[in-house]
Amino acid sequence: MSNLSEVYGWNPKIACRTIEDTAFVLFQSRMVSLNEVGTFVWEYFKEPSSIKDVAVAVSEEFETTSKEATDDVDAFVAQLVERQLLVECTAVANT
């Protein structure tokens, strides 16, 4: 599990469009489309946010427990960071 207080934001080098509850994210000629929950999480990170804050929002918006939301958001953020779609907030400030 990541540091839940770590703040992440969109990589400033991505292009993104949301159409009918589906986010389409383009980075380095790769397109990723996200489902409804993924899009909700993605949109939350438009402004730099912590995993903890996003997990709270997910548990309030969708029918899930706080623990499940935290585990799922943490895993999803790890995937987005690995694909360089999200970056640590300090990295956003330094670009």
Side-chain angles (χ1 to χ4, degrees):
M1 183 171 281
S2 303
N3 176 349
L4 301 180
S5 297
E6 189 72 52
V7 175
Y8 296 93
W10 288 5
N11 183 334
K13 297 177 183 176
I14 59 104
C16 176
R17 174 163 237 134
T18 301
I19 303 170
E20 297 182 15
D21 295 329
T22 301
F24 297 92
V25 186
L26 179 65
F27 178 65
Q28 296 181 340
S29 301
R30 293 179 302 184
M31 172 87 64
V32 176
S33 63
L34 305 174
N35 66 18
E36 180 184 3
V37 179
T39 297
F40 180 87
V41 170
W42 175 254
E43 291 293 333
Y44 211 93
F45 280 109
K46 188 172 188 175
E47 296 296 324
S49 303
S50 70
I51 292 171
K52 181 180 178 182
D53 289 342
V54 176
V56 168
V58 167
S59 67
E60 290 173 355
E61 182 72 19
F62 300 95
E63 292 184 24
T64 186
T65 66
S66 178
K67 179 177 180 355
E68 186 175 358
T70 300
D71 292 346
D72 290 350
V73 170
D74 186 42
F76 186 53
V77 166
Q79 291 175 1
L80 294 174
V81 168
E82 182 178 314
R83 293 180 180 187
Q84 300 177 322
L85 302 178
L86 285 182
V87 292
E88 287 184 43
C89 193
T90 55
V92 172
N94 292 330
T95 58

